[in-house]
Amino acid sequence: MKFAKFKIKGMTCDHCAQTIAKKFSGNEGIITKDIDYNSGTGKFEFDPDKTDKDQIAALINSTGHYRVEREISEEAIVNNTDETKSYKANTLPFEEDLGSASSIPLGGAGDGLFDFIIIGGGSAAFSAAIKAESLGLSTLMVNGGLNFGGTCVNVGCVPSKNLIRAAETAYHATHSNFAGIKPKGVDIDFAQVIKDKKRLVATLQQKKYLDVVGDFENLKMVQGWAEFVDTKTILVDGKDKYTALKFLIATGATTNIPDIKGLNEVNYLTNVSLFDLEEQPKSMIVLGGGYIALEIAQAYHRLGTKVTLLQRSAQVLSKQTTEVAEELTSHLRNEGLEIYTSLNFIEVSENTEKISVVAEHEGGRKVFEAQKILVSTGIKPNTNKLGLQNIGLELDGGGHILVNDKMETNLHNIYAAGDCINTPAYVYTAAFEGKIAVENAFTGTENKADYSSLPWVVFTDPQVAGTGLDEAQAKAQNIPFEVSKLELKDVPRAIAANDTRGFIKLIRNIETDKLIGARVVAPEGGELIQQLSMAIKHGGTIKELAESLYPYLTLSEGIKLAAIAFDKDVATLSCCAV
């Protein structure tokens, strides 16, 4: 066992001491603790195999009101000497690990030393920074590559959804579901659409990211590439050294460029570069069939670009069931989008007029040509330039940082979150992970990420949405299940709108009647999925879904009908499904 004693600043009463003591409740590494506001000290007996001095100090600082001012020497503790003569003035609990940097007091009074360093500048990073500020932690955010705000606001969610809505407006100006409505067409100023998108991105980057942290007293932001020197030190751009108690790696991901002959020699686009082109491509090949590829392909097709989507797998959305993939594919093809699957890519080349892709298709060779080519073949984590080999941080075979459900890596003071780790890659999961990483690192909590009811949406038209398990996953887990599939042609809202594309599918555990999964293909189907996610999370049953009240002529009524359809033929029900 070991001892640590600290001078603590900010205590004024017994309640203050009790507040600090509560921070250590349930901490297995702490054997005894004695917090005394009269002397302004905290004395700890601890198990060095389960915690250490720097973690104890960090937990005290995480209160936001009380801070470790200095450590009292072990000699003073053992000999009970006058503590006022025995302070290691202006030192950190881990001074032996920091060398000359240890002359800076805990809390980051110097430019090079912080409680917490965040590597990355996206959603996970900003969520972590916000939480760290609330805990009073001195924090450094180091961001390289994309602008602060990361993928979502700069080159992902915000620009893509803006263009999807613009494209939808154009599509509805030229297509009608009603015989009595004759659309007259639309004039598209593509350059203006892109300029408006750029303004939106700049506005949201400022208002939702930079302005949010602009008045933070304990946050410093640095632009540059970080590399680990050791587990407590990073080097930024090869010159500036920073040290911290704890780290969060939140470096995101970039497009995974497939190994196709000639691809690296052509001027290909990714989502990073495509969304800034103000001159509309006349034609474009999209390599890939995941959700990003599909969203972009449909949007640009609707805006007037001739789009050809090429996919190596047997279907688009290769991780989804064939039923879901085929339903969406049929509607996209009905719009005129060219989709080819089961391709074996041979070569990509470019001349002054076009880009060509040669692929094997249905036993023969086929050549696809377009003015531009977009590569959207999945993502890879940004972990290769972090110097992780210097510290022994564990990665999976794809380069993702391995974390547990508390965002902990194999190194006790390093956490990770967002697209660079082995969890679902969504902006909302990244933000959630960034927050709980800080809480677990500095407050002694053990918050966990549970994605068993995670909702997700593909923003095509119709949208594809899901939560929980599909049939294959339920079967793999040996769960006895049953499926109810309701076509939108049986949903009054869809009938009234003359738009019956898609279906609602519910999956239940036969033994418990609990909803365990759902898949939706429908116009604005993403708006249904949160209710189903909450039902799974809280153990809701099919009976409860069937007996709940839903506003008539809303798409959500389809959930009620799909639940009823487990036991009844909905075609025999009255209009209000009772």
Side-chain angles (χ1 to χ4, degrees):
M1 301 303 162
K2 288 192 174 184
F3 295 88
K5 190 171 184 179
F6 305 107
K7 184 69 175 177
I8 302 173
K9 184 178 180 180
M11 290 194 293
T12 59
C13 63
D14 277 330
H15 178 72
C16 299
Q18 292 169 9
T19 299
I20 296 173
K22 286 180 181 179
K23 281 289 182 179
F24 294 89
S25 178
N27 190 319
E28 295 181 358
I30 303 299
I31 299 169
T32 63
K33 57 184 180 291
D34 181 15
I35 317 295
D36 181 16
Y37 92 90
N38 288 308
S39 62
T41 61
K43 180 180 177 181
F44 301 85
E45 182 183 3
F46 64 93
D47 182 346
D49 293 330
K50 295 182 179 179
T51 191
D52 54 29
K53 293 180 181 180
D54 58 332
Q55 292 190 53
I56 295 170
L59 202 52
I60 295 170
N61 291 339
S62 72
T63 60
H65 300 287
Y66 317 106
R67 301 196 66 79
V68 169
E69 190 172 17
R70 56 181 67 90
E71 181 190 356
I72 302 170
S73 70
E74 290 187 15
E75 179 182 359
I77 297 172
V78 174
N79 297 330
N80 197 26
T81 57
D82 183 359
E83 64 186 34
T84 61
K85 300 177 181 179
S86 306
Y87 293 145
K88 289 182 178 179
N90 297 325
T91 62
L92 286 166
F94 52 89
E95 79 172 296
E96 64 274 13
D97 296 328
L98 298 182
S100 61
S102 63
S103 62
I104 304 168
L106 186 66
D111 288 339
L113 182 61
F114 295 84
D115 293 334
F116 186 41
I117 291 178
I118 303 167
I119 304 175
S123 297
F126 272 79
S127 175
I130 292 167
K131 185 61 184 180
E133 180 73 10
S134 73
L135 296 175
L137 300 171
S138 61
T139 303
L140 173 69
M141 183 187 295
V142 182
N143 181 56
L146 293 174
N147 292 332
F148 283 105
T151 296
C152 178
V153 70
N154 290 300
V155 297
C157 314
V158 170
S160 67
K161 304 312 175 279
N162 178 256
L163 293 179
I164 285 169
R165 284 304 193 192
E168 183 180 286
T169 301
Y171 181 77
H172 287 308
T174 57
H175 297 78
S176 171
N177 296 330
F178 298 87
I181 305 296
K182 305 296 182 183
K184 296 183 178 180
V186 61
D187 292 326
I188 299 175
D189 185 340
F190 187 85
Q192 187 62 50
V193 170
I194 298 300
K195 288 175 183 176
D196 290 342
K197 182 274 306 178
K198 290 179 180 178
R199 277 193 290 271
L200 174 66
V201 166
T203 298
L204 291 183
Q205 186 210 24
Q206 187 66 43
K207 288 187 175 181
K208 295 300 182 181
Y209 289 88
L210 299 180
D211 285 353
V212 170
V213 301
D215 61 350
F216 281 11
E217 295 180 357
N218 300 309
L219 175 65
K220 177 176 181 178
M221 301 170 72
V222 173
Q223 192 80 39
W225 294 96
E227 181 179 6
F228 279 94
V229 176
D230 55 46
T231 58
K232 291 180 178 175
T233 311
I234 59 169
L235 205 60
V236 177
D237 288 342
K239 58 182 180 178
D240 298 320
K241 184 179 289 188
Y242 299 95
T243 305
L245 284 168
K246 301 287 180 71
F247 290 82
L248 175 71
I249 302 174
T251 48
T254 52
T255 301
N256 180 45
I257 307 301
D259 184 16
I260 302 173
K261 181 181 178 181
L263 180 58
N264 283 321
E265 299 171 14
V266 307
N267 187 28
Y268 63 79
L269 299 166
T270 68
N271 61 302
V272 174
S273 51
L274 172 68
F275 294 148
D276 281 343
L277 290 182
E278 294 185 11
E279 182 178 349
Q280 182 175 9
K282 293 182 175 62
S283 58
M284 183 168 67
I285 291 170
V286 175
L287 286 185
Y291 71 93
I292 297 173
L294 290 165
E295 290 175 0
I296 292 174
Q298 186 180 35
Y300 275 75
H301 169 70
R302 286 181 162 187
L303 288 170
T305 297
K306 183 181 184 300
V307 176
T308 303
L309 186 142
L310 307 180
Q311 166 74 338
R312 191 192 305 269
S313 301
Q315 64 179 50
V316 301
L317 299 179
S318 58
K319 294 182 180 180
Q320 298 303 313
T321 62
T322 300
E323 183 179 39
V324 169
E326 289 182 348
E327 179 76 20
L328 177 62
T329 300
S330 67
H331 296 304
L332 295 178
R333 283 176 171 160
N334 286 341
E335 284 192 13
L337 187 61
E338 294 185 12
I339 300 175
Y340 294 85
T341 58
S342 300
L343 297 174
N344 180 27
F345 296 109
I346 298 172
E347 185 177 10
V348 180
S349 60
E350 181 177 15
N351 59 34
T352 55
E353 296 181 356
K354 62 182 180 298
I355 293 174
S356 300
V357 177
V358 181
E360 291 181 355
H361 179 61
E362 297 180 348
R365 285 198 172 193
K366 187 172 180 64
V367 179
F368 303 93
E369 296 179 338
Q371 180 188 7
K372 299 289 185 180
I373 184 168
L374 171 74
V375 180
S376 184
T377 47
I379 58 176
K380 64 178 180 180
N382 296 323
T383 56
N384 62 325
K385 296 180 180 180
L386 292 172
L388 301 183
Q389 71 280 359
N390 298 332
I391 58 175
L393 196 72
E394 292 182 356
L395 308 176
D396 68 12
H400 294 88
I401 298 171
L402 291 172
V403 298
N404 60 19
D405 53 8
K406 293 181 285 187
M407 304 303 116
E408 297 171 332
T409 70
N410 63 303
L411 301 176
H412 79 276
N413 70 317
I414 298 179
Y415 292 70
D419 292 359
C420 65
I421 68 174
N422 56 319
T423 60
Y426 300 105
V427 63
Y428 44 101
T429 57
F432 173 64
E433 290 163 358
K435 175 178 178 290
I436 67 170
V438 179
E439 292 172 342
N440 292 335
F442 288 98
T443 70
T445 60
E446 292 192 352
N447 295 322
K448 298 180 180 181
D450 177 7
Y451 292 139
S452 58
S453 62
L454 177 70
W456 52 265
V457 181
V458 181
F459 289 90
T460 49
D461 180 21
Q463 293 175 357
V464 180
T467 182
L469 306 176
D470 63 22
E471 301 96 315
Q473 293 166 334
K475 185 176 181 180
Q477 296 183 26
N478 295 316
I479 298 174
F481 69 91
E482 185 180 13
V483 175
S484 170
K485 179 183 176 183
L486 180 77
E487 303 284 348
L488 256 66
K489 64 181 179 60
D490 293 317
V491 178
R493 170 64 176 177
I495 297 169
N498 281 350
D499 191 352
T500 57
R501 295 171 296 159
F503 59 79
I504 298 171
K505 180 194 291 185
L506 305 181
I507 305 169
R508 73 170 171 179
N509 184 318
I510 296 173
E511 295 178 349
T512 65
D513 192 44
K514 289 183 178 180
L515 180 71
I516 60 173
R519 297 295 183 268
V520 176
V521 181
E524 301 298 335
E527 303 301 328
L528 301 181
I529 210 64
Q530 186 61 33
Q531 176 189 352
L532 296 169
S533 171
M534 294 297 289
I536 294 173
K537 181 176 181 178
H538 296 289
T541 65
I542 294 299
K543 184 176 186 292
E544 289 171 330
L545 289 175
E547 293 180 352
S548 295
L549 295 174
Y550 297 77
Y552 184 53
L553 283 179
T554 63
L555 194 59
S556 64
E557 189 186 18
I559 294 174
K560 178 185 182 75
L561 292 167
I564 292 172
F566 275 103
D567 300 312
K568 295 181 180 179
D569 180 2
V570 296
T572 65
L573 300 177
S574 66
C575 63
C576 297
V578 295

